[in-house]
Amino acid sequence: MFRVLCFALLLLANVYCFADNATSPEDLWQAVLAASPTVPPTPARKAALQALDDWIAIPNSEETDACVAYYRCAVDLALGLLETERPERGLRIFQLYSSSVLIQTPSVVIGIDLDQGPNEDMHRTPGEEGVAFCMTEEQIARLAALVDYAFHTHEHGDHLDYQITKALAERDKTVIGTEGIRALWAEEPWAQSILTPPQTLGRGEKIGTLTVNVLRDHQWSDEAHTRGTENNAYLIAVPEGFSVFTKGDTNCGLRLYGWLQLLAEKGCAVDVMVGSAIYWRGPGIARQIDVLYAPLVLPGHAWEFGHRPDGEARGNAMGFWQAGMLVKGAAKQGGVTPLSWGEFIDIPEPRNSKKAGL
């Protein structure tokens, strides 16, 4: 039903197709849906994502009705599946915008870095800011109704959203973040409900039905690591026995690797890593994480439009396929597959038959 709805909406959006591109949004949508995410990706999957990337890469595409319609259809598909289906076992992981991820199990729905688009003002909605690429108010209400726990790694606009966080907090959902996030909205009546868990060293912090390990680190803005934004890395263990790791924008791997190695020694495992897998203010540890835990990598930070200057095809914004290929060489044991907007992958069994590193 949801695919039929999206096809119909995309047919209407065809009238807004970019003049320089003969491929319609409907054709792209059907090609992506026909080539489901696999590990490793199939040739058909590669072709579909590359075609979608080429379409999105047309400068300022995020300002067009066709691209916004495609994105909103993708969000509708994900929300519709979350509302009507639940995996009988294991994890179902959805990709939304950029670093925004939803994790569904038989018992919980978890959001990570929930964000709706390239709006940057942390005190206004996209409409108030004049940003066209965003979710509808109805979609945000549906999302807030579905999510049980929402984790945010840091306070940057591509990992955090005022409208979504407010909707979650006002529905008494559990929101987890940094001290900086809570301070950002100190004047909001709902901000004091945001949890700021302590750093852990393997035993984990109980948050509802979850067990969460936290590394309190930074996204460093200089090579000397003297300036930066608070950034939490999370290892989230769900009741069904799976663990999901995200580092957010932790961008130097030295402290992160020491923490992950300690967690491995304590018996922790990582089944899936979501979000950014790159580092730019110090040594990277993508290969070391693969050796230590062999997680399936679902790379994020794809099509972060805030990283693309006006008039440029890509700038520093990675496409879906490029995001996967940047990690492929390092993810030899665990594997990697990129997800585009609204897509999901099922992980029915833990990927590690024994505790990682032991």
Side-chain angles (χ1 to χ4, degrees):
M1 179 177 70
F2 300 104
R3 293 186 180 186
V4 172
L5 171 63
C6 288
F7 289 158
L9 290 174
L10 286 166
L11 281 169
L12 291 175
N14 281 345
V15 298
Y16 301 110
C17 263
F18 308 131
D20 295 332
N21 197 324
T23 304
S24 73
E26 184 201 6
D27 292 338
L28 293 166
W29 179 262
Q30 293 193 47
V32 169
L33 289 181
S36 300
T38 57
V39 184
T42 63
R45 176 75 177 162
K46 175 182 177 181
L49 289 184
Q50 287 182 326
L52 180 59
D53 283 337
D54 290 343
W55 184 70
I56 297 172
I58 294 172
N60 303 321
S61 60
E62 73 276 18
E63 299 175 7
T64 68
D65 293 328
C67 193
V68 173
Y70 185 104
Y71 169 65
R72 289 178 175 174
C73 285
V75 172
D76 269 337
L77 177 61
L79 294 176
L81 290 170
L82 283 158
E83 289 166 340
T84 59
E85 296 183 12
R86 187 174 286 274
E88 294 182 1
R89 57 195 176 116
L91 303 177
R92 174 170 286 181
I93 303 181
F94 292 85
Q95 181 70 50
L96 297 179
Y97 175 71
S98 187
S99 298
S100 183
V101 173
L102 290 169
I103 300 161
Q104 184 185 32
T105 80
S107 65
V108 296
V109 175
I110 301 166
I112 295 179
D113 282 345
L114 293 177
D115 178 36
Q116 58 178 314
N119 50 302
E120 297 180 353
D121 193 320
M122 288 291 102
H123 299 277
R124 294 193 296 170
T125 68
E128 292 168 339
E129 194 178 342
V131 176
F133 190 99
C134 62
M135 296 181 190
T136 66
E137 290 188 6
E138 180 205 16
Q139 287 175 332
I140 290 172
R142 292 166 66 195
L143 177 65
L146 286 163
V147 171
D148 300 302
Y149 305 91
F151 289 82
H152 289 280
T153 58
H154 61 297
E155 63 198 74
H156 288 167
D158 54 336
H159 294 258
L160 186 67
D161 184 88
Y162 169 75
Q163 193 175 10
I164 292 175
T165 309
K166 181 175 184 288
L168 288 164
E170 289 182 342
R171 286 166 173 77
D172 295 322
K173 301 304 180 74
T174 303
V175 180
I176 302 99
T178 65
E179 299 286 354
I181 290 173
R182 190 156 64 178
L184 177 70
W185 290 316
E187 296 182 1
E188 297 282 357
W190 44 264
Q192 291 307 308
S193 67
I194 298 174
L195 301 182
T196 57
Q199 182 158 302
T200 61
L201 298 174
R203 292 185 61 182
E205 178 88 354
K206 288 295 293 183
I207 299 178
T209 62
L210 310 178
T211 302
V212 183
N213 274 282
V214 181
L215 173 67
R216 289 186 164 194
D217 208 330
H218 290 78
Q219 178 180 346
W220 299 107
S221 56
D222 66 337
E223 298 296 341
H225 295 181
T226 61
R227 301 189 307 275
T229 301
E230 286 180 285
N231 189 114
N232 285 350
Y234 301 108
L235 178 59
I236 305 163
V238 301
E240 290 78 7
F242 293 75
S243 293
V244 178
F245 169 63
T246 184
K247 72 176 187 66
D249 277 350
T250 302
N251 57 352
C252 178
L254 290 177
R255 187 159 178 253
L256 178 61
Y257 182 69
W259 180 73
L260 287 171
Q261 191 170 46
L262 178 60
L263 264 57
E265 291 171 358
K266 297 288 187 179
C268 296
V270 178
D271 293 294
V272 185
M273 178 176 177
V274 300
S276 175
I278 62 172
Y279 305 80
W280 60 97
R281 292 294 186 194
I285 57 167
R287 289 184 183 276
Q288 287 81 357
I289 292 175
D290 185 61
V291 171
L292 188 62
Y293 287 111
L296 171 63
V297 179
L298 304 178
H301 250 299
W303 287 117
E304 170 41 53
F305 292 120
H307 295 166
R308 176 170 76 160
D310 287 345
E312 292 192 12
R314 295 179 187 270
N316 288 328
M318 290 186 295
F320 297 118
W321 186 251
Q322 180 190 13
M325 292 307 97
L326 282 176
V327 185
K328 181 181 177 182
K332 294 187 180 297
Q333 295 187 76
V336 58
T337 190
L339 303 179
S340 66
W341 302 323
E343 290 194 293
F344 72 90
I345 189 167
D346 283 327
I347 304 168
E349 300 290 346
R351 291 172 56 83
N352 299 308
S353 60
K354 61 179 182 178
K355 295 298 182 183
L358 300 178

PDB file of all heavy atoms in Angstrom, residues 215 217 233 245 247 250 252-265 279 283-293 357:
ATOM      1  N   LEU A 215      30.737   6.821  25.662  1.00  0.00           N
ATOM      2  CA  LEU A 215      32.029   7.513  25.680  1.00  0.00           C
ATOM      3  C   LEU A 215      31.749   8.990  25.490  1.00  0.00           C
ATOM      4  O   LEU A 215      31.182   9.402  24.474  1.00  0.00           O
ATOM      5  CB  LEU A 215      32.955   7.021  24.571  1.00  0.00           C
ATOM      6  CG  LEU A 215      34.257   7.831  24.424  1.00  0.00           C
ATOM      7  CD1 LEU A 215      35.154   7.646  25.654  1.00  0.00           C
ATOM      8  CD2 LEU A 215      35.005   7.452  23.153  1.00  0.00           C
ATOM      9  N   ASP A 217      33.155  12.233  24.443  1.00  0.00           N
ATOM     10  CA  ASP A 217      34.312  12.728  23.692  1.00  0.00           C
ATOM     11  C   ASP A 217      33.921  14.022  22.985  1.00  0.00           C
ATOM     12  O   ASP A 217      33.027  14.732  23.437  1.00  0.00           O
ATOM     13  CB  ASP A 217      34.798  11.652  22.719  1.00  0.00           C
ATOM     14  CG  ASP A 217      36.291  11.759  22.404  1.00  0.00           C
ATOM     15  OD1 ASP A 217      36.831  12.871  22.432  1.00  0.00           O
ATOM     16  OD2 ASP A 217      36.903  10.731  22.111  1.00  0.00           O
ATOM     17  N   ALA A 233      29.717   8.930  22.000  1.00  0.00           N
ATOM     18  CA  ALA A 233      29.591   7.675  21.267  1.00  0.00           C
ATOM     19  C   ALA A 233      28.748   6.736  22.128  1.00  0.00           C
ATOM     20  O   ALA A 233      28.879   6.739  23.357  1.00  0.00           O
ATOM     21  CB  ALA A 233      30.952   7.066  20.987  1.00  0.00           C
ATOM     22  N   PHE A 245      26.243   0.305  17.528  1.00  0.00           N
ATOM     23  CA  PHE A 245      27.236   1.314  17.898  1.00  0.00           C
ATOM     24  C   PHE A 245      27.164   2.498  16.952  1.00  0.00           C
ATOM     25  O   PHE A 245      27.009   2.339  15.748  1.00  0.00           O
ATOM     26  CB  PHE A 245      28.643   0.702  17.835  1.00  0.00           C
ATOM     27  CG  PHE A 245      29.766   1.701  17.936  1.00  0.00           C
ATOM     28  CD1 PHE A 245      29.933   2.470  19.076  1.00  0.00           C
ATOM     29  CD2 PHE A 245      30.662   1.870  16.887  1.00  0.00           C
ATOM     30  CE1 PHE A 245      30.968   3.400  19.168  1.00  0.00           C
ATOM     31  CE2 PHE A 245      31.696   2.787  16.962  1.00  0.00           C
ATOM     32  CZ  PHE A 245      31.846   3.554  18.108  1.00  0.00           C
ATOM     33  N   LYS A 247      29.312   6.402  16.606  1.00  0.00           N
ATOM     34  CA  LYS A 247      30.302   7.319  17.165  1.00  0.00           C
ATOM     35  C   LYS A 247      29.915   8.766  16.936  1.00  0.00           C
ATOM     36  O   LYS A 247      30.614   9.678  17.383  1.00  0.00           O
ATOM     37  CB  LYS A 247      31.679   7.072  16.560  1.00  0.00           C
ATOM     38  CG  LYS A 247      31.824   7.513  15.103  1.00  0.00           C
ATOM     39  CD  LYS A 247      33.242   7.318  14.610  1.00  0.00           C
ATOM     40  CE  LYS A 247      33.446   7.903  13.217  1.00  0.00           C
ATOM     41  NZ  LYS A 247      33.310   9.365  13.186  1.00  0.00           N
ATOM     42  N   THR A 250      32.586  11.855  16.432  1.00  0.00           N
ATOM     43  CA  THR A 250      33.895  11.685  17.049  1.00  0.00           C
ATOM     44  C   THR A 250      34.909  11.557  15.920  1.00  0.00           C
ATOM     45  O   THR A 250      34.796  10.654  15.093  1.00  0.00           O
ATOM     46  CB  THR A 250      33.935  10.415  17.921  1.00  0.00           C
ATOM     47  OG1 THR A 250      32.921  10.499  18.922  1.00  0.00           O
ATOM     48  CG2 THR A 250      35.295  10.246  18.581  1.00  0.00           C
ATOM     49  N   CYS A 252      38.532  11.760  16.040  1.00  0.00           N
ATOM     50  CA  CYS A 252      39.883  11.244  16.270  1.00  0.00           C
ATOM     51  C   CYS A 252      39.726   9.887  16.938  1.00  0.00           C
ATOM     52  O   CYS A 252      39.026   9.759  17.943  1.00  0.00           O
ATOM     53  CB  CYS A 252      40.700  12.183  17.141  1.00  0.00           C
ATOM     54  SG  CYS A 252      42.365  11.553  17.510  1.00  0.00           S
ATOM     55  N   GLY A 253      40.377   8.886  16.370  1.00  0.00           N
ATOM     56  CA  GLY A 253      40.105   7.524  16.809  1.00  0.00           C
ATOM     57  C   GLY A 253      40.873   7.032  18.017  1.00  0.00           C
ATOM     58  O   GLY A 253      40.569   5.956  18.527  1.00  0.00           O
ATOM     59  N   LEU A 254      41.852   7.780  18.516  1.00  0.00           N
ATOM     60  CA  LEU A 254      42.731   7.238  19.556  1.00  0.00           C
ATOM     61  C   LEU A 254      41.967   6.881  20.832  1.00  0.00           C
ATOM     62  O   LEU A 254      42.036   5.747  21.315  1.00  0.00           O
ATOM     63  CB  LEU A 254      43.845   8.239  19.865  1.00  0.00           C
ATOM     64  CG  LEU A 254      44.896   8.421  18.758  1.00  0.00           C
ATOM     65  CD1 LEU A 254      45.904   9.501  19.156  1.00  0.00           C
ATOM     66  CD2 LEU A 254      45.622   7.106  18.484  1.00  0.00           C
ATOM     67  N   ARG A 255      41.249   7.845  21.394  1.00  0.00           N
ATOM     68  CA  ARG A 255      40.524   7.569  22.628  1.00  0.00           C
ATOM     69  C   ARG A 255      39.364   6.621  22.369  1.00  0.00           C
ATOM     70  O   ARG A 255      39.051   5.748  23.189  1.00  0.00           O
ATOM     71  CB  ARG A 255      40.023   8.878  23.229  1.00  0.00           C
ATOM     72  CG  ARG A 255      39.399   8.722  24.608  1.00  0.00           C
ATOM     73  CD  ARG A 255      39.406  10.050  25.356  1.00  0.00           C
ATOM     74  NE  ARG A 255      38.771   9.896  26.652  1.00  0.00           N
ATOM     75  CZ  ARG A 255      37.563  10.378  26.956  1.00  0.00           C
ATOM     76  NH1 ARG A 255      36.873  11.025  26.049  1.00  0.00           N
ATOM     77  NH2 ARG A 255      37.070  10.219  28.160  1.00  0.00           N
ATOM     78  N   LEU A 256      38.725   6.781  21.223  1.00  0.00           N
ATOM     79  CA  LEU A 256      37.610   5.913  20.872  1.00  0.00           C
ATOM     80  C   LEU A 256      38.056   4.456  20.809  1.00  0.00           C
ATOM     81  O   LEU A 256      37.369   3.567  21.321  1.00  0.00           O
ATOM     82  CB  LEU A 256      37.020   6.345  19.532  1.00  0.00           C
ATOM     83  CG  LEU A 256      35.858   5.519  18.989  1.00  0.00           C
ATOM     84  CD1 LEU A 256      34.673   5.551  19.938  1.00  0.00           C
ATOM     85  CD2 LEU A 256      35.449   6.019  17.605  1.00  0.00           C
ATOM     86  N   TYR A 257      39.211   4.198  20.208  1.00  0.00           N
ATOM     87  CA  TYR A 257      39.675   2.816  20.095  1.00  0.00           C
ATOM     88  C   TYR A 257      40.003   2.219  21.464  1.00  0.00           C
ATOM     89  O   TYR A 257      39.685   1.050  21.732  1.00  0.00           O
ATOM     90  CB  TYR A 257      40.896   2.724  19.188  1.00  0.00           C
ATOM     91  CG  TYR A 257      41.355   1.296  19.015  1.00  0.00           C
ATOM     92  CD1 TYR A 257      40.584   0.383  18.307  1.00  0.00           C
ATOM     93  CD2 TYR A 257      42.530   0.836  19.615  1.00  0.00           C
ATOM     94  CE1 TYR A 257      40.976  -0.937  18.164  1.00  0.00           C
ATOM     95  CE2 TYR A 257      42.940  -0.481  19.479  1.00  0.00           C
ATOM     96  CZ  TYR A 257      42.159  -1.369  18.758  1.00  0.00           C
ATOM     97  OH  TYR A 257      42.545  -2.679  18.635  1.00  0.00           O
ATOM     98  N   GLY A 258      40.628   3.012  22.322  1.00  0.00           N
ATOM     99  CA  GLY A 258      40.914   2.506  23.664  1.00  0.00           C
ATOM    100  C   GLY A 258      39.651   2.109  24.396  1.00  0.00           C
ATOM    101  O   GLY A 258      39.600   1.068  25.071  1.00  0.00           O
ATOM    102  N   TRP A 259      38.616   2.926  24.262  1.00  0.00           N
ATOM    103  CA  TRP A 259      37.326   2.631  24.902  1.00  0.00           C
ATOM    104  C   TRP A 259      36.687   1.380  24.305  1.00  0.00           C
ATOM    105  O   TRP A 259      36.212   0.491  25.034  1.00  0.00           O
ATOM    106  CB  TRP A 259      36.425   3.854  24.737  1.00  0.00           C
ATOM    107  CG  TRP A 259      35.062   3.748  25.333  1.00  0.00           C
ATOM    108  CD1 TRP A 259      34.733   3.781  26.666  1.00  0.00           C
ATOM    109  CD2 TRP A 259      33.827   3.624  24.623  1.00  0.00           C
ATOM    110  NE1 TRP A 259      33.363   3.695  26.823  1.00  0.00           N
ATOM    111  CE2 TRP A 259      32.783   3.604  25.580  1.00  0.00           C
ATOM    112  CE3 TRP A 259      33.494   3.555  23.274  1.00  0.00           C
ATOM    113  CZ2 TRP A 259      31.444   3.496  25.227  1.00  0.00           C
ATOM    114  CZ3 TRP A 259      32.158   3.455  22.917  1.00  0.00           C
ATOM    115  CH2 TRP A 259      31.147   3.420  23.883  1.00  0.00           C
ATOM    116  N   LEU A 260      36.695   1.260  22.985  1.00  0.00           N
ATOM    117  CA  LEU A 260      36.112   0.083  22.338  1.00  0.00           C
ATOM    118  C   LEU A 260      36.867  -1.193  22.704  1.00  0.00           C
ATOM    119  O   LEU A 260      36.267  -2.254  22.878  1.00  0.00           O
ATOM    120  CB  LEU A 260      36.106   0.279  20.825  1.00  0.00           C
ATOM    121  CG  LEU A 260      35.072   1.270  20.281  1.00  0.00           C
ATOM    122  CD1 LEU A 260      35.315   1.527  18.802  1.00  0.00           C
ATOM    123  CD2 LEU A 260      33.653   0.772  20.509  1.00  0.00           C
ATOM    124  N   GLN A 261      38.176  -1.088  22.804  1.00  0.00           N
ATOM    125  CA  GLN A 261      38.964  -2.263  23.179  1.00  0.00           C
ATOM    126  C   GLN A 261      38.645  -2.693  24.608  1.00  0.00           C
ATOM    127  O   GLN A 261      38.513  -3.893  24.903  1.00  0.00           O
ATOM    128  CB  GLN A 261      40.453  -1.954  23.031  1.00  0.00           C
ATOM    129  CG  GLN A 261      41.345  -3.174  23.133  1.00  0.00           C
ATOM    130  CD  GLN A 261      42.769  -2.855  22.737  1.00  0.00           C
ATOM    131  OE1 GLN A 261      43.329  -1.860  23.168  1.00  0.00           O
ATOM    132  NE2 GLN A 261      43.363  -3.702  21.925  1.00  0.00           N
ATOM    133  N   LEU A 262      38.484  -1.723  25.495  1.00  0.00           N
ATOM    134  CA  LEU A 262      38.113  -2.035  26.869  1.00  0.00           C
ATOM    135  C   LEU A 262      36.747  -2.706  26.922  1.00  0.00           C
ATOM    136  O   LEU A 262      36.545  -3.692  27.647  1.00  0.00           O
ATOM    137  CB  LEU A 262      38.107  -0.759  27.713  1.00  0.00           C
ATOM    138  CG  LEU A 262      37.683  -0.917  29.175  1.00  0.00           C
ATOM    139  CD1 LEU A 262      38.620  -1.869  29.914  1.00  0.00           C
ATOM    140  CD2 LEU A 262      37.651   0.444  29.864  1.00  0.00           C
ATOM    141  N   LEU A 263      35.798  -2.207  26.124  1.00  0.00           N
ATOM    142  CA  LEU A 263      34.468  -2.819  26.094  1.00  0.00           C
ATOM    143  C   LEU A 263      34.538  -4.257  25.587  1.00  0.00           C
ATOM    144  O   LEU A 263      33.832  -5.142  26.096  1.00  0.00           O
ATOM    145  CB  LEU A 263      33.520  -1.992  25.211  1.00  0.00           C
ATOM    146  CG  LEU A 263      32.625  -0.982  25.937  1.00  0.00           C
ATOM    147  CD1 LEU A 263      33.445   0.011  26.759  1.00  0.00           C
ATOM    148  CD2 LEU A 263      31.737  -0.246  24.948  1.00  0.00           C
ATOM    149  N   ALA A 264      35.396  -4.496  24.599  1.00  0.00           N
ATOM    150  CA  ALA A 264      35.557  -5.864  24.102  1.00  0.00           C
ATOM    151  C   ALA A 264      36.106  -6.773  25.193  1.00  0.00           C
ATOM    152  O   ALA A 264      35.662  -7.918  25.349  1.00  0.00           O
ATOM    153  CB  ALA A 264      36.474  -5.870  22.886  1.00  0.00           C
ATOM    154  N   GLU A 265      37.060  -6.282  25.961  1.00  0.00           N
ATOM    155  CA  GLU A 265      37.631  -7.073  27.052  1.00  0.00           C
ATOM    156  C   GLU A 265      36.594  -7.373  28.125  1.00  0.00           C
ATOM    157  O   GLU A 265      36.679  -8.398  28.813  1.00  0.00           O
ATOM    158  CB  GLU A 265      38.815  -6.321  27.660  1.00  0.00           C
ATOM    159  CG  GLU A 265      40.021  -6.223  26.731  1.00  0.00           C
ATOM    160  CD  GLU A 265      41.096  -5.296  27.265  1.00  0.00           C
ATOM    161  OE1 GLU A 265      40.884  -4.705  28.350  1.00  0.00           O
ATOM    162  OE2 GLU A 265      42.138  -5.163  26.595  1.00  0.00           O
ATOM    163  N   TYR A 279      37.090   9.847   9.794  1.00  0.00           N
ATOM    164  CA  TYR A 279      37.774  10.652  10.805  1.00  0.00           C
ATOM    165  C   TYR A 279      38.565  11.735  10.070  1.00  0.00           C
ATOM    166  O   TYR A 279      39.132  11.495   9.018  1.00  0.00           O
ATOM    167  CB  TYR A 279      38.728   9.783  11.630  1.00  0.00           C
ATOM    168  CG  TYR A 279      38.059   8.590  12.265  1.00  0.00           C
ATOM    169  CD1 TYR A 279      37.796   7.437  11.517  1.00  0.00           C
ATOM    170  CD2 TYR A 279      37.661   8.622  13.591  1.00  0.00           C
ATOM    171  CE1 TYR A 279      37.159   6.350  12.087  1.00  0.00           C
ATOM    172  CE2 TYR A 279      37.024   7.531  14.173  1.00  0.00           C
ATOM    173  CZ  TYR A 279      36.782   6.388  13.410  1.00  0.00           C
ATOM    174  OH  TYR A 279      36.150   5.317  13.978  1.00  0.00           O
ATOM    175  N   PRO A 283      43.973  10.125  13.693  1.00  0.00           N
ATOM    176  CA  PRO A 283      44.000   8.817  13.039  1.00  0.00           C
ATOM    177  C   PRO A 283      42.629   8.160  13.027  1.00  0.00           C
ATOM    178  O   PRO A 283      41.865   8.236  13.986  1.00  0.00           O
ATOM    179  CB  PRO A 283      44.989   8.013  13.891  1.00  0.00           C
ATOM    180  CG  PRO A 283      44.983   8.685  15.223  1.00  0.00           C
ATOM    181  CD  PRO A 283      44.762  10.136  14.947  1.00  0.00           C
ATOM    182  N   GLY A 284      42.306   7.505  11.920  1.00  0.00           N
ATOM    183  CA  GLY A 284      41.082   6.747  11.815  1.00  0.00           C
ATOM    184  C   GLY A 284      41.262   5.330  12.310  1.00  0.00           C
ATOM    185  O   GLY A 284      42.383   4.811  12.362  1.00  0.00           O
ATOM    186  N   ILE A 285      40.167   4.682  12.686  1.00  0.00           N
ATOM    187  CA  ILE A 285      40.255   3.316  13.228  1.00  0.00           C
ATOM    188  C   ILE A 285      39.213   2.400  12.590  1.00  0.00           C
ATOM    189  O   ILE A 285      38.783   1.426  13.211  1.00  0.00           O
ATOM    190  CB  ILE A 285      40.112   3.302  14.763  1.00  0.00           C
ATOM    191  CG1 ILE A 285      38.779   3.954  15.181  1.00  0.00           C
ATOM    192  CG2 ILE A 285      41.284   3.989  15.439  1.00  0.00           C
ATOM    193  CD1 ILE A 285      38.417   3.694  16.635  1.00  0.00           C
ATOM    194  N   ALA A 286      38.825   2.682  11.346  1.00  0.00           N
ATOM    195  CA  ALA A 286      37.810   1.840  10.708  1.00  0.00           C
ATOM    196  C   ALA A 286      38.282   0.392  10.600  1.00  0.00           C
ATOM    197  O   ALA A 286      37.520  -0.549  10.871  1.00  0.00           O
ATOM    198  CB  ALA A 286      37.467   2.395   9.333  1.00  0.00           C
ATOM    199  N   ARG A 287      39.517   0.183  10.187  1.00  0.00           N
ATOM    200  CA  ARG A 287      40.042  -1.191  10.080  1.00  0.00           C
ATOM    201  C   ARG A 287      40.126  -1.852  11.446  1.00  0.00           C
ATOM    202  O   ARG A 287      39.827  -3.048  11.603  1.00  0.00           O
ATOM    203  CB  ARG A 287      41.433  -1.175   9.434  1.00  0.00           C
ATOM    204  CG  ARG A 287      41.435  -0.833   7.955  1.00  0.00           C
ATOM    205  CD  ARG A 287      42.841  -0.927   7.388  1.00  0.00           C
ATOM    206  NE  ARG A 287      42.872  -0.527   5.998  1.00  0.00           N
ATOM    207  CZ  ARG A 287      42.591  -1.322   4.982  1.00  0.00           C
ATOM    208  NH1 ARG A 287      42.259  -2.585   5.218  1.00  0.00           N
ATOM    209  NH2 ARG A 287      42.644  -0.875   3.747  1.00  0.00           N
ATOM    210  N   GLN A 288      40.547  -1.083  12.439  1.00  0.00           N
ATOM    211  CA  GLN A 288      40.689  -1.652  13.783  1.00  0.00           C
ATOM    212  C   GLN A 288      39.338  -2.069  14.365  1.00  0.00           C
ATOM    213  O   GLN A 288      39.234  -3.096  15.046  1.00  0.00           O
ATOM    214  CB  GLN A 288      41.385  -0.635  14.695  1.00  0.00           C
ATOM    215  CG  GLN A 288      42.868  -0.457  14.411  1.00  0.00           C
ATOM    216  CD  GLN A 288      43.150   0.480  13.246  1.00  0.00           C
ATOM    217  OE1 GLN A 288      42.234   0.975  12.582  1.00  0.00           O
ATOM    218  NE2 GLN A 288      44.424   0.730  12.981  1.00  0.00           N
ATOM    219  N   ILE A 289      38.295  -1.284  14.106  1.00  0.00           N
ATOM    220  CA  ILE A 289      36.954  -1.670  14.565  1.00  0.00           C
ATOM    221  C   ILE A 289      36.514  -2.954  13.883  1.00  0.00           C
ATOM    222  O   ILE A 289      35.913  -3.835  14.500  1.00  0.00           O
ATOM    223  CB  ILE A 289      35.956  -0.525  14.312  1.00  0.00           C
ATOM    224  CG1 ILE A 289      36.264   0.666  15.223  1.00  0.00           C
ATOM    225  CG2 ILE A 289      34.520  -1.000  14.527  1.00  0.00           C
ATOM    226  CD1 ILE A 289      35.404   1.876  14.961  1.00  0.00           C
ATOM    227  N   ASP A 290      36.817  -3.085  12.597  1.00  0.00           N
ATOM    228  CA  ASP A 290      36.450  -4.290  11.864  1.00  0.00           C
ATOM    229  C   ASP A 290      37.159  -5.510  12.435  1.00  0.00           C
ATOM    230  O   ASP A 290      36.549  -6.572  12.598  1.00  0.00           O
ATOM    231  CB  ASP A 290      36.807  -4.113  10.381  1.00  0.00           C
ATOM    232  CG  ASP A 290      36.345  -5.285   9.537  1.00  0.00           C
ATOM    233  OD1 ASP A 290      35.122  -5.527   9.493  1.00  0.00           O
ATOM    234  OD2 ASP A 290      37.200  -5.961   8.928  1.00  0.00           O
ATOM    235  N   VAL A 291      38.436  -5.383  12.759  1.00  0.00           N
ATOM    236  CA  VAL A 291      39.191  -6.494  13.339  1.00  0.00           C
ATOM    237  C   VAL A 291      38.661  -6.836  14.728  1.00  0.00           C
ATOM    238  O   VAL A 291      38.519  -8.010  15.097  1.00  0.00           O
ATOM    239  CB  VAL A 291      40.692  -6.157  13.407  1.00  0.00           C
ATOM    240  CG1 VAL A 291      41.458  -7.199  14.216  1.00  0.00           C
ATOM    241  CG2 VAL A 291      41.282  -6.054  11.998  1.00  0.00           C
ATOM    242  N   LEU A 292      38.345  -5.818  15.506  1.00  0.00           N
ATOM    243  CA  LEU A 292      37.935  -6.019  16.892  1.00  0.00           C
ATOM    244  C   LEU A 292      36.530  -6.593  17.017  1.00  0.00           C
ATOM    245  O   LEU A 292      36.278  -7.505  17.813  1.00  0.00           O
ATOM    246  CB  LEU A 292      38.006  -4.670  17.627  1.00  0.00           C
ATOM    247  CG  LEU A 292      37.796  -4.661  19.132  1.00  0.00           C
ATOM    248  CD1 LEU A 292      38.868  -5.479  19.841  1.00  0.00           C
ATOM    249  CD2 LEU A 292      37.796  -3.217  19.647  1.00  0.00           C
ATOM    250  N   TYR A 293      35.589  -6.088  16.194  1.00  0.00           N
ATOM    251  CA  TYR A 293      34.178  -6.448  16.360  1.00  0.00           C
ATOM    252  C   TYR A 293      33.510  -7.036  15.119  1.00  0.00           C
ATOM    253  O   TYR A 293      32.464  -7.655  15.229  1.00  0.00           O
ATOM    254  CB  TYR A 293      33.384  -5.206  16.760  1.00  0.00           C
ATOM    255  CG  TYR A 293      33.590  -4.724  18.170  1.00  0.00           C
ATOM    256  CD1 TYR A 293      34.252  -3.528  18.431  1.00  0.00           C
ATOM    257  CD2 TYR A 293      33.102  -5.457  19.248  1.00  0.00           C
ATOM    258  CE1 TYR A 293      34.416  -3.066  19.725  1.00  0.00           C
ATOM    259  CE2 TYR A 293      33.271  -5.001  20.550  1.00  0.00           C
ATOM    260  CZ  TYR A 293      33.930  -3.808  20.777  1.00  0.00           C
ATOM    261  OH  TYR A 293      34.087  -3.363  22.061  1.00  0.00           O
ATOM    262  N   GLY A 357      36.414  -9.912  20.052  1.00  0.00           N
ATOM    263  CA  GLY A 357      37.750  -9.744  20.566  1.00  0.00           C
ATOM    264  C   GLY A 357      38.170 -10.816  21.561  1.00  0.00           C
ATOM    265  O   GLY A 357      39.273 -10.751  22.103  1.00  0.00           O
TER     266      GLY A 357
END
